[in-house]
Amino acid sequence: MSLKLKPAIFLLSLIGVGLIVLSAFSDCNGWLQSFAPTACFSDKNANVLFVRRLNRSIKPFLSAKTKLSEDDFNWWKRIQIEHRDFAFYKNTVSKLFEIFPPVPDLGKACSERCRTCAVVGNSVNLKGSRYGRLIDYQDVIIRMNFAPTKGFEEDVGTKTTYRVMYPESASDLDNSTHLVLFPFKIQDLDWLMKAFTTGFSGRSYAPLKSKINANKDLVKVINPAFMKYSHMVWLEGKGTYPSTGFMTLILALHICDEIHVFGYGADSDGNWSHYFEALENKNLKTGPHPGQHEYEIIKQLADEKTVELHQGS
Ligand SMILES: *[C@@H]1O[C@H](CO)[C@@H](O)[C@H](O)[C@H]1NC(C)=O
Ligand SMILES: *[C@@H]1O[C@H](CO)[C@@H](O)[C@H](O)[C@H]1NC(C)=O
Ligand SMILES: *[C@@H]1O[C@H](CO)[C@@H](O)[C@H](O)[C@H]1NC(C)=O
Protein backbone atom coordinates (compact mmCIF):
# COMPACT_ATOMS: atom_id res chain seq x y z
CA MET A 1 0.00 0.00 0.00
CA SER A 2 1.35 3.44 -0.84
CA LEU A 3 2.35 5.70 2.02
CA LYS A 4 0.08 8.46 0.75
CA LEU A 5 -2.97 6.25 1.13
CA LYS A 6 -2.36 5.51 4.78
CA PRO A 7 -3.46 8.88 6.23
CA ALA A 8 -6.57 8.77 4.06
CA ILE A 9 -7.42 5.32 5.35
CA PHE A 10 -6.76 6.43 8.88
CA LEU A 11 -9.11 9.36 8.41
CA LEU A 12 -11.75 7.14 6.90
CA SER A 13 -11.57 4.75 9.81
CA LEU A 14 -11.91 7.67 12.21
CA ILE A 15 -15.08 8.72 10.40
CA GLY A 16 -16.24 5.14 10.53
CA VAL A 17 -15.77 4.94 14.27
CA GLY A 18 -17.52 8.29 14.63
CA LEU A 19 -20.50 7.02 12.71
CA ILE A 20 -20.68 3.87 14.77
CA VAL A 21 -20.72 5.94 17.93
CA LEU A 22 -23.30 8.34 16.49
CA SER A 23 -25.52 5.57 15.19
CA ALA A 24 -25.55 4.02 18.62
CA PHE A 25 -27.45 7.08 19.78
CA SER A 26 -29.96 7.18 16.96
CA ASP A 27 -33.06 5.05 16.86
CA CYS A 28 -34.19 2.91 13.96
CA ASN A 29 -35.97 5.80 12.28
CA GLY A 30 -33.30 8.37 12.97
CA TRP A 31 -31.72 10.35 10.17
CA LEU A 32 -28.34 8.81 10.91
CA GLN A 33 -29.53 5.48 9.65
CA SER A 34 -28.65 6.24 6.05
CA PHE A 35 -25.05 7.07 6.94
CA ALA A 36 -24.43 4.15 9.21
CA PRO A 37 -22.22 1.20 8.32
CA THR A 38 -23.84 -1.93 6.95
CA ALA A 39 -23.40 -5.45 8.24
CA CYS A 40 -20.83 -5.66 11.01
CA PHE A 41 -19.81 -9.13 9.92
CA SER A 42 -18.94 -8.16 6.35
CA ASP A 43 -15.16 -8.24 6.69
CA LYS A 44 -14.97 -11.72 8.14
CA ASN A 45 -12.18 -14.05 7.27
CA ALA A 46 -13.66 -16.93 5.29
CA ASN A 47 -12.05 -19.43 7.62
CA VAL A 48 -13.95 -18.54 10.73
CA LEU A 49 -16.61 -20.85 12.11
CA PHE A 50 -19.28 -18.22 11.49
CA VAL A 51 -18.64 -18.15 7.76
CA ARG A 52 -18.09 -21.89 7.47
CA ARG A 53 -21.24 -22.91 9.30
CA LEU A 54 -23.84 -20.15 8.88
CA ASN A 55 -26.41 -21.08 6.25
CA ARG A 56 -28.79 -18.24 5.49
CA SER A 57 -31.03 -20.43 3.41
CA ILE A 58 -32.28 -22.05 6.63
CA LYS A 59 -35.09 -19.82 7.88
CA PRO A 60 -35.24 -19.61 11.68
CA PHE A 61 -39.00 -18.96 11.92
CA LEU A 62 -41.90 -20.97 10.59
CA SER A 63 -44.19 -19.16 8.22
CA ALA A 64 -47.31 -20.32 6.43
CA LYS A 65 -45.07 -20.91 3.42
CA THR A 66 -42.40 -23.01 5.13
CA LYS A 67 -42.09 -26.42 3.53
CA LEU A 68 -40.53 -28.78 6.05
CA SER A 69 -38.97 -31.80 4.39
CA GLU A 70 -39.90 -35.27 5.59
CA ASP A 71 -36.23 -35.83 6.52
CA ASP A 72 -36.29 -32.78 8.75
CA PHE A 73 -39.57 -33.91 10.29
CA ASN A 74 -38.06 -37.34 11.01
CA TRP A 75 -35.09 -35.74 12.76
CA TRP A 76 -37.39 -33.51 14.78
CA LYS A 77 -39.93 -36.12 15.85
CA ARG A 78 -37.34 -38.29 17.61
CA ILE A 79 -36.10 -35.56 19.96
CA GLN A 80 -39.07 -35.90 22.29
CA ILE A 81 -40.55 -39.09 20.86
CA GLU A 82 -43.40 -37.78 18.72
CA HIS A 83 -45.67 -40.61 17.62
CA ARG A 84 -47.98 -38.69 15.35
CA ASP A 85 -47.16 -38.50 11.67
CA PHE A 86 -46.05 -35.89 9.17
CA ALA A 87 -49.58 -35.30 7.88
CA PHE A 88 -50.73 -34.51 11.42
CA TYR A 89 -47.82 -32.09 11.83
CA LYS A 90 -48.66 -30.28 8.59
CA ASN A 91 -52.30 -30.03 9.54
CA THR A 92 -51.39 -28.56 12.93
CA VAL A 93 -49.04 -26.00 11.39
CA SER A 94 -51.68 -24.84 8.94
CA LYS A 95 -54.05 -24.16 11.86
CA LEU A 96 -51.29 -22.25 13.62
CA PHE A 97 -51.32 -19.55 10.98
CA GLU A 98 -55.03 -19.03 11.28
CA ILE A 99 -54.32 -17.66 14.75
CA PHE A 100 -50.87 -16.09 14.47
CA PRO A 101 -49.50 -13.74 11.82
CA PRO A 102 -48.88 -15.90 8.73
CA VAL A 103 -45.54 -14.42 7.75
CA PRO A 104 -43.72 -13.34 10.87
CA ASP A 105 -42.29 -9.90 10.73
CA LEU A 106 -38.59 -10.27 11.32
CA GLY A 107 -38.62 -6.76 12.69
CA LYS A 108 -35.49 -5.97 10.76
CA ALA A 109 -36.65 -2.40 10.31
CA CYS A 110 -33.20 -0.94 10.67
CA SER A 111 -31.21 -3.29 8.49
CA GLU A 112 -29.31 -0.26 7.19
CA ARG A 113 -27.29 -0.21 10.29
CA CYS A 114 -25.74 -2.60 12.67
CA ARG A 115 -28.37 -4.24 14.81
CA THR A 116 -26.95 -5.09 18.21
CA CYS A 117 -28.33 -7.88 20.35
CA ALA A 118 -27.90 -9.05 23.90
CA VAL A 119 -28.42 -12.78 24.25
CA VAL A 120 -29.02 -13.34 27.93
CA GLY A 121 -28.65 -16.86 29.27
CA ASN A 122 -29.54 -17.83 32.81
CA SER A 123 -26.18 -18.76 34.27
CA VAL A 124 -25.31 -17.94 37.84
CA ASN A 125 -22.29 -16.08 36.44
CA LEU A 126 -24.64 -13.09 36.01
CA LYS A 127 -24.96 -12.75 39.77
CA GLY A 128 -23.07 -9.66 40.89
CA SER A 129 -21.96 -8.93 37.31
CA ARG A 130 -23.69 -5.52 37.07
CA TYR A 131 -24.31 -6.11 33.36
CA GLY A 132 -27.84 -4.67 33.52
CA ARG A 133 -27.08 -1.36 31.82
CA LEU A 134 -24.93 -2.94 29.11
CA ILE A 135 -27.69 -5.45 28.38
CA ASP A 136 -30.43 -2.79 28.22
CA TYR A 137 -28.24 -0.66 25.95
CA GLN A 138 -28.49 -3.16 23.04
CA ASP A 139 -31.21 -2.79 20.37
CA VAL A 140 -32.62 -6.26 20.87
CA ILE A 141 -32.61 -8.19 24.12
CA ILE A 142 -33.26 -11.90 24.00
CA ARG A 143 -34.08 -13.80 27.20
CA MET A 144 -34.93 -17.38 27.94
CA ASN A 145 -37.70 -19.32 29.62
CA PHE A 146 -39.12 -17.93 32.85
CA ALA A 147 -35.92 -16.18 33.96
CA PRO A 148 -37.03 -13.09 35.91
CA THR A 149 -35.62 -9.59 35.60
CA LYS A 150 -37.49 -8.24 38.63
CA GLY A 151 -35.19 -8.18 41.61
CA PHE A 152 -32.10 -8.73 39.41
CA GLU A 153 -32.15 -5.53 37.34
CA GLU A 154 -28.60 -4.47 38.18
CA ASP A 155 -27.18 -7.70 36.86
CA VAL A 156 -29.57 -8.63 34.04
CA GLY A 157 -31.32 -5.41 32.94
CA THR A 158 -35.01 -4.72 32.52
CA LYS A 159 -35.92 -4.85 28.82
CA THR A 160 -36.95 -7.91 26.84
CA THR A 161 -37.51 -7.84 23.09
CA TYR A 162 -37.72 -11.58 22.47
CA ARG A 163 -38.42 -14.24 25.05
CA VAL A 164 -37.76 -17.77 23.88
CA MET A 165 -39.66 -20.56 25.59
CA TYR A 166 -41.27 -23.96 25.24
CA PRO A 167 -44.58 -24.84 26.88
CA GLU A 168 -43.02 -26.31 30.02
CA SER A 169 -40.92 -23.14 30.53
CA ALA A 170 -43.56 -20.57 29.56
CA SER A 171 -44.26 -17.33 31.35
CA ASP A 172 -46.57 -14.36 30.75
CA LEU A 173 -45.14 -11.48 28.74
CA ASP A 174 -45.84 -7.81 28.41
CA ASN A 175 -47.47 -6.48 25.27
CA SER A 176 -44.30 -5.48 23.48
CA THR A 177 -42.27 -8.65 23.98
CA HIS A 178 -42.11 -11.21 21.18
CA LEU A 179 -42.89 -14.75 22.24
CA VAL A 180 -40.55 -17.13 20.42
CA LEU A 181 -41.64 -20.74 20.79
CA PHE A 182 -39.21 -23.62 20.40
CA PRO A 183 -41.47 -26.57 19.55
CA PHE A 184 -40.10 -29.99 20.53
CA LYS A 185 -43.24 -31.97 19.68
CA ILE A 186 -46.55 -31.43 17.91
CA GLN A 187 -48.31 -30.92 21.25
CA ASP A 188 -46.21 -27.77 21.72
CA LEU A 189 -47.86 -26.20 18.67
CA ASP A 190 -51.24 -27.25 19.95
CA TRP A 191 -50.41 -25.79 23.35
CA LEU A 192 -49.49 -22.46 21.75
CA MET A 193 -52.81 -22.17 19.94
CA LYS A 194 -54.88 -23.18 22.95
CA ALA A 195 -52.93 -21.10 25.45
CA PHE A 196 -54.02 -18.05 23.42
CA THR A 197 -57.61 -19.18 22.91
CA THR A 198 -59.60 -21.85 24.76
CA GLY A 199 -56.95 -22.85 27.28
CA PHE A 200 -54.86 -26.02 27.15
CA SER A 201 -55.69 -29.03 29.27
CA GLY A 202 -53.19 -31.66 28.11
CA ARG A 203 -50.24 -32.97 30.11
CA SER A 204 -46.52 -33.11 29.71
CA TYR A 205 -43.42 -34.11 31.68
CA ALA A 206 -43.83 -30.91 33.73
CA PRO A 207 -46.83 -28.77 34.69
CA LEU A 208 -48.12 -26.59 31.87
CA LYS A 209 -49.77 -23.20 31.90
CA SER A 210 -53.27 -23.51 30.54
CA LYS A 211 -53.33 -19.91 29.30
CA ILE A 212 -50.68 -17.34 28.57
CA ASN A 213 -50.80 -13.56 28.55
CA ALA A 214 -48.75 -12.24 25.67
CA ASN A 215 -49.23 -10.29 22.46
CA LYS A 216 -50.62 -12.71 19.87
CA ASP A 217 -49.33 -10.54 17.03
CA LEU A 218 -45.75 -10.93 18.19
CA VAL A 219 -45.65 -14.72 18.29
CA LYS A 220 -42.95 -16.52 16.33
CA VAL A 221 -42.36 -20.24 16.10
CA ILE A 222 -38.96 -21.74 15.45
CA ASN A 223 -38.69 -23.83 12.31
CA PRO A 224 -37.88 -27.49 13.14
CA ALA A 225 -35.45 -27.44 10.19
CA PHE A 226 -33.57 -24.69 12.00
CA MET A 227 -33.32 -26.86 15.12
CA LYS A 228 -31.93 -29.70 13.03
CA TYR A 229 -29.42 -27.37 11.38
CA SER A 230 -28.31 -26.09 14.82
CA HIS A 231 -27.67 -29.70 15.79
CA MET A 232 -26.23 -31.20 12.61
CA VAL A 233 -24.23 -28.21 11.35
CA TRP A 234 -23.35 -26.21 14.44
CA LEU A 235 -22.86 -29.12 16.84
CA GLU A 236 -21.92 -31.66 14.17
CA GLY A 237 -24.63 -33.96 15.49
CA LYS A 238 -23.15 -34.25 18.99
CA GLY A 239 -25.53 -35.01 21.87
CA THR A 240 -29.21 -35.80 21.46
CA TYR A 241 -30.26 -32.30 20.48
CA PRO A 242 -29.05 -28.78 21.32
CA SER A 243 -30.14 -26.84 24.37
CA THR A 244 -32.55 -23.95 23.97
CA GLY A 245 -29.73 -21.61 25.00
CA PHE A 246 -27.48 -22.86 22.22
CA MET A 247 -30.19 -22.68 19.56
CA THR A 248 -31.01 -19.16 20.73
CA LEU A 249 -27.42 -18.14 20.14
CA ILE A 250 -27.56 -19.58 16.61
CA LEU A 251 -30.83 -17.69 16.12
CA ALA A 252 -29.01 -14.50 17.10
CA LEU A 253 -26.35 -15.20 14.48
CA HIS A 254 -29.16 -15.14 11.91
CA ILE A 255 -31.05 -12.05 13.08
CA CYS A 256 -28.42 -9.77 14.65
CA ASP A 257 -25.40 -7.94 13.31
CA GLU A 258 -23.52 -7.59 16.56
CA ILE A 259 -23.99 -10.03 19.42
CA HIS A 260 -23.23 -9.67 23.09
CA VAL A 261 -23.56 -12.92 25.00
CA PHE A 262 -24.30 -12.89 28.73
CA GLY A 263 -25.08 -15.59 31.25
CA TYR A 264 -23.75 -18.62 29.38
CA GLY A 265 -21.71 -21.41 30.89
CA ALA A 266 -20.68 -22.10 34.43
CA ASP A 267 -19.45 -19.58 36.97
CA SER A 268 -15.82 -19.34 37.96
CA ASP A 269 -16.34 -22.18 40.48
CA GLY A 270 -17.69 -24.41 37.73
CA ASN A 271 -21.31 -24.26 38.92
CA TRP A 272 -23.92 -24.63 36.21
CA SER A 273 -26.86 -23.15 38.11
CA HIS A 274 -29.25 -20.28 37.40
CA TYR A 275 -28.82 -16.71 38.59
CA PHE A 276 -32.32 -16.69 40.08
CA GLU A 277 -32.26 -19.84 42.19
CA ALA A 278 -30.03 -21.43 44.77
CA LEU A 279 -27.90 -24.33 43.62
CA GLU A 280 -29.69 -27.44 44.86
CA ASN A 281 -27.95 -30.11 42.91
CA LYS A 282 -24.25 -29.95 42.26
CA ASN A 283 -24.69 -32.62 39.61
CA LEU A 284 -27.10 -30.44 37.69
CA LYS A 285 -25.60 -30.93 34.26
CA THR A 286 -27.07 -30.23 30.91
CA GLY A 287 -29.42 -33.22 30.38
CA PRO A 288 -29.57 -34.51 26.81
CA HIS A 289 -27.61 -31.47 25.63
CA PRO A 290 -23.87 -31.55 25.01
CA GLY A 291 -23.29 -28.58 27.33
CA GLN A 292 -19.52 -28.57 27.34
CA HIS A 293 -19.30 -28.88 23.56
CA GLU A 294 -21.88 -26.13 23.12
CA TYR A 295 -19.84 -23.87 25.35
CA GLU A 296 -16.70 -24.60 23.36
CA ILE A 297 -18.41 -23.54 20.14
CA ILE A 298 -19.53 -20.32 21.83
CA LYS A 299 -15.97 -19.70 23.01
CA GLN A 300 -14.70 -20.30 19.49
CA LEU A 301 -17.22 -17.74 18.16
CA ALA A 302 -15.95 -15.34 20.78
CA ASP A 303 -12.28 -15.98 19.92
CA GLU A 304 -12.95 -15.21 16.27
CA LYS A 305 -14.90 -12.09 17.35
CA THR A 306 -18.21 -13.18 15.88
CA VAL A 307 -19.75 -12.64 19.31
CA GLU A 308 -18.58 -10.86 22.40
CA LEU A 309 -18.76 -13.16 25.38
CA HIS A 310 -19.26 -11.46 28.74
CA GLN A 311 -18.26 -14.08 31.25
CA GLY A 312 -19.49 -12.44 34.42
CA SER A 313 -18.39 -13.46 37.85
C1 LIG B 1 -27.75 -24.73 3.24
O1 LIG B 1 -28.95 -25.41 3.50
C2 LIG B 1 -29.64 -25.87 2.37
C3 LIG B 1 -30.98 -26.42 2.82
O2 LIG B 1 -30.80 -27.46 3.75
C4 LIG B 1 -28.78 -26.90 1.65
O3 LIG B 1 -29.44 -27.37 0.49
C5 LIG B 1 -27.47 -26.26 1.27
O4 LIG B 1 -26.60 -27.22 0.70
C6 LIG B 1 -26.79 -25.64 2.50
N1 LIG B 1 -25.64 -24.88 2.06
C7 LIG B 1 -24.41 -25.11 2.53
C8 LIG B 1 -23.35 -24.23 2.03
O5 LIG B 1 -24.20 -26.03 3.32
C1 LIG C 1 -51.10 -4.71 22.60
O1 LIG C 1 -50.65 -4.42 21.32
C2 LIG C 1 -51.60 -4.56 20.28
C3 LIG C 1 -50.92 -4.28 18.97
O2 LIG C 1 -49.93 -5.20 18.70
C4 LIG C 1 -52.75 -3.60 20.54
O3 LIG C 1 -53.74 -3.78 19.55
C5 LIG C 1 -53.35 -3.85 21.91
O4 LIG C 1 -54.33 -2.91 22.20
C6 LIG C 1 -52.25 -3.80 22.98
N1 LIG C 1 -52.82 -4.18 24.26
C7 LIG C 1 -52.53 -3.55 25.39
C8 LIG C 1 -53.18 -4.07 26.61
O5 LIG C 1 -51.79 -2.58 25.42
C1 LIG D 1 -20.36 -23.11 43.58
O1 LIG D 1 -19.58 -24.22 43.95
C2 LIG D 1 -18.76 -24.01 45.08
C3 LIG D 1 -17.86 -25.20 45.25
O2 LIG D 1 -18.57 -26.40 45.21
C4 LIG D 1 -19.62 -23.69 46.31
O3 LIG D 1 -18.83 -23.47 47.43
C5 LIG D 1 -20.44 -22.45 46.00
O4 LIG D 1 -21.32 -22.16 47.05
C6 LIG D 1 -21.24 -22.62 44.71
N1 LIG D 1 -21.84 -21.34 44.32
C7 LIG D 1 -23.14 -21.16 44.24
C8 LIG D 1 -23.59 -19.82 43.82
O5 LIG D 1 -23.97 -22.00 44.51
Side-chain angles (χ1 to χ4, degrees):
M1 172 189 311
S2 100
L3 278 176
K4 276 186 193 155
L5 263 176
K6 277 193 179 163
I9 288 173
F10 177 70
L11 209 71
L12 277 175
S13 17
L14 266 189
I15 293 171
V17 168
L19 281 174
I20 289 169
V21 170
L22 277 174
S23 66
F25 291 105
S26 73
D27 62 18
C28 285
N29 306 314
W31 62 273
L32 282 167
Q33 191 185 320
S34 47
F35 295 88
T38 49
C40 312
F41 286 152
S42 57
D43 56 351
K44 279 242 162 269
N45 170 342
N47 250 333
V48 301
L49 209 57
F50 174 74
V51 174
R52 293 204 321 266
R53 296 202 175 159
L54 193 87
N55 186 341
R56 291 219 182 264
S57 72
I58 317 278
K59 298 297 167 216
F61 299 116
L62 273 184
S63 79
K65 287 189 229 138
T66 308
K67 295 251 180 295
L68 190 71
S69 74
E70 193 149 9
D71 262 7
D72 289 350
F73 175 75
N74 287 335
W75 174 88
W76 182 72
K77 76 172 199 183
R78 70 173 185 98
I79 62 183
Q80 283 187 11
I81 330 237
E82 175 59 66
H83 294 297
R84 290 175 291 189
D85 66 8
F86 194 29
F88 189 85
Y89 165 86
K90 285 192 277 195
N91 187 38
T92 308
V93 170
S94 70
K95 284 192 260 168
L96 200 62
F97 294 108
E98 289 166 13
I99 298 180
F100 302 107
V103 179
D105 171 16
L106 253 182
K108 202 146 184 166
C110 32
S111 57
E112 297 282 313
R113 71 179 188 87
C114 191
R115 174 163 146 136
T116 73
C117 295
V119 181
V120 188
N122 295 336
S123 167
V124 69
N125 71 25
L126 282 169
K127 239 182 182 168
S129 66
R130 298 176 153 262
Y131 284 149
R133 286 177 71 178
L134 183 58
I135 289 171
D136 279 346
Y137 182 71
Q138 310 307 321
D139 301 325
V140 172
I141 295 137
I142 308 175
R143 299 185 197 273
M144 282 157 229
N145 303 332
F146 43 74
T149 52
K150 203 162 188 272
F152 302 92
E153 294 86 348
E154 268 226 296
D155 293 335
V156 308
T158 58
K159 299 184 201 159
T160 307
T161 323
Y162 292 80
R163 188 172 285 269
V164 308
M165 61 176 74
Y166 44 92
E168 295 82 1
S169 76
S171 64
D172 291 336
L173 305 181
D174 65 35
N175 201 33
S176 62
T177 300
H178 297 245
L179 187 165
V180 177
L181 183 86
F182 274 92
F184 291 98
K185 48 192 177 311
I186 296 173
Q187 174 174 290
D188 296 355
L189 302 171
D190 196 36
W191 172 84
L192 186 67
M193 292 186 273
K194 292 192 171 130
F196 275 95
T197 54
T198 56
F200 183 82
S201 57
R203 290 161 169 275
S204 185
Y205 58 84
L208 287 172
K209 279 170 81 68
S210 158
K211 288 217 163 199
I212 190 162
N213 286 319
N215 187 334
K216 184 165 83 60
D217 298 329
L218 300 181
V219 169
K220 294 174 170 61
V221 180
I222 297 289
N223 180 359
F226 182 82
M227 298 165 73
K228 179 185 175 194
Y229 147 81
S230 301
H231 187 231
M232 300 311 289
V233 175
W234 281 96
L235 289 181
E236 301 172 291
K238 293 197 173 79
T240 311
Y241 58 95
S243 68
T244 306
F246 186 78
M247 291 191 280
T248 303
L249 187 83
I250 305 304
L251 172 66
L253 295 177
H254 282 250
I255 65 173
C256 309
D257 300 310
E258 180 183 307
I259 299 164
H260 295 264
V261 179
F262 303 88
Y264 274 64
D267 71 1
S268 50
D269 294 329
N271 299 327
W272 284 87
S273 47
H274 292 153
Y275 68 81
F276 48 85
E277 55 200 9
L279 185 73
E280 301 141 10
N281 179 359
K282 261 239 95 180
N283 293 323
L284 176 75
K285 284 286 172 194
T286 50
H289 315 305
Q292 196 54 44
H293 185 65
E294 291 182 348
Y295 194 62
E296 271 151 26
I297 300 289
I298 296 168
K299 279 214 292 235
Q300 216 173 318
L301 290 169
D303 289 344
E304 71 185 33
K305 300 201 170 5
T306 292
V307 304
E308 188 166 344
L309 182 58
H310 301 268
Q311 286 179 295
S313 50

